[in-house]
Amino acid sequence: MAEYTIITDSSCDLPDNVAAELELKVVPLSLTMEGKQYLNTTDERGIPDQELYARLRAGAMAKTSAANAGSFVAVMEPELQAGRDVLYIGFSSALSATCSVGANVGRELMERYPERKVYTVDSLCASLGQGLFVYLLAQKKREGMELEALRDYAEDLKLHICHWFTVEDLQFLRRGGRVSAAAAVIGSILSIKPVMHVDNEGRLIPVSKVRGRKASLRAIADKVKETMLDRPDQTLFISHGDCEEDARLIAEMIKERTGLELNVLNYVGPVIGSHSGPGTIAVFFIGKER
């Protein structure tokens, strides 16, 4: 059986120790803030999460960039040179060009290394939803699943990776074109909080609106109870925009409703957090459907 490596990109928002434990290779995306470019890396060496959110709260704006071809070559090529094939799990193509860049680099490298295989799976996931997806695939790899079987398993699994989230400040979604300026102003005045998810095309879609922060958290916890699958690998990941107290509160809400324990808690990373803003709460699990 040929050896292979799972590669993903830093929009997975996995903690660095988890990525290391899973033996993942992670390609960094980047962002530009106040004229300086920063890498988005799992070890926060580009910009620490707390610093990012402090600057966003102070009014700084960030422009994010897909991972470039050179970054993919730097991570993929050493694996091929070492005789290992590659399974690349990419950030949703509906939200970034990163997956397309990775797929193109993979095809070019296979021409250079014809004895090796590079497969790409568009995760249609984001943040720790992508992280959960990769985490589950890494478990199958550890169990001995071969490369082609894991690729096929990934395609079958990805539309069961549920993403439910809410934000504190609608102005960040307004800047990204997710809500209108009028809706952002009215929502802020009335304390309207959107409940959103990532759909089967990998897009961020508003599902409902509720009044108040705790109501939005309760609505998401209810969605987990309604749609989660009862299976041995059921796993709960939660990411947050520098609001850990609320993240732990929703974890308790979910536990009360389902018995499901929190597995991984981490920040929404710099690339995605620049668009969702401080106060974001996102919950990820395996469900019947998205």
Side-chain angles (χ1 to χ4, degrees):
M1 182 175 71
E3 289 188 31
Y4 65 94
T5 300
I6 299 175
I7 294 176
T8 192
D9 46 68
S10 61
S11 55
C12 69
D13 289 347
L14 283 168
D16 192 53
N17 65 313
V18 175
E21 180 190 348
L22 297 175
E23 300 180 314
L24 303 173
K25 303 294 183 182
V26 183
V27 178
L29 281 75
S30 64
L31 67 151
T32 301
M33 180 182 284
E34 298 174 325
K36 183 176 178 181
Q37 187 176 53
Y38 302 89
L39 289 178
N40 177 183
T41 58
T42 56
D43 62 5
E44 300 183 63
R45 70 179 184 275
I47 182 169
D49 294 321
Q50 287 186 323
E51 178 185 338
L52 170 86
Y53 285 104
R55 291 169 68 175
L56 290 175
R57 287 191 177 101
M61 297 181 67
K63 181 179 180 182
T64 59
S65 302
N68 61 42
S71 297
F72 275 102
V73 171
V75 174
M76 286 183 176
E77 189 166 30
E79 299 304 311
L80 304 179
Q81 289 173 336
R84 291 183 287 271
D85 297 328
V86 165
L87 177 63
Y88 166 55
I89 308 297
F91 183 16
S92 173
S93 59
L95 300 174
S96 172
T98 296
C99 188
S100 177
V101 175
N104 289 337
V105 168
R107 285 190 289 269
E108 291 170 5
L109 286 173
M110 277 198 294
E111 293 179 4
R112 198 179 307 171
Y113 300 89
E115 72 285 4
R116 300 267 59 86
K117 299 171 184 174
V118 181
Y119 295 128
T120 295
V121 173
D122 180 356
S123 72
L124 303 176
C125 295
S127 189
L128 268 183
Q130 181 180 338
L132 172 58
F133 186 46
V134 173
Y135 172 90
L136 294 169
L137 298 180
Q139 306 311 315
K140 292 296 183 182
K141 179 177 183 288
R142 282 179 167 177
E143 292 169 12
M145 187 174 282
E146 295 191 19
L147 174 60
E148 284 80 5
L150 188 62
R151 175 200 58 192
D152 296 344
Y153 177 80
E155 293 290 356
D156 290 338
L157 176 66
K158 66 185 183 183
L159 294 185
H160 294 284
I161 304 298
C162 297
H163 307 54
W164 288 93
F165 68 101
T166 189
V167 299
E168 182 66 21
D169 187 346
L170 287 165
Q171 296 299 330
F172 286 91
L173 292 181
R174 177 192 62 77
R175 292 174 193 168
R178 303 296 173 187
V179 299
S180 69
V185 171
I186 294 169
S188 297
I189 293 170
L190 298 178
S191 192
I192 300 295
K193 306 300 179 187
V195 175
M196 307 179 72
H197 82 138
V198 173
D199 70 4
N200 286 351
E201 283 72 51
R203 303 170 299 176
L204 307 182
I205 301 294
V207 175
S208 61
K209 299 174 184 176
V210 297
R211 290 194 70 173
R213 176 70 160 181
K214 284 194 175 178
S216 69
L217 302 184
R218 286 194 294 269
I220 291 172
D222 289 342
K223 283 291 184 184
V224 177
K225 182 179 180 181
E226 289 169 20
T227 61
M228 66 172 277
L229 286 170
D230 182 12
R231 48 188 281 171
D233 58 349
Q234 181 61 261
T235 310
L236 177 65
F237 281 18
I238 296 177
S239 59
H240 64 92
D242 199 31
C243 52
E244 184 175 337
E245 186 175 339
D246 282 352
R248 294 197 178 278
L249 174 60
I250 196 171
E252 283 303 311
M253 291 178 176
I254 292 168
K255 183 178 178 180
E256 288 169 3
R257 286 162 172 77
T258 67
L260 186 59
E261 297 271 2
L262 176 63
N263 186 275
V264 170
L265 175 69
N266 201 27
Y267 278 82
V268 180
V271 164
I272 297 171
S274 295
H275 296 287
S276 59
T280 300
I281 291 287
V283 171
F284 313 95
F285 59 98
I286 310 170
K288 302 168 192 173
E289 58 185 6
R290 288 196 175 185

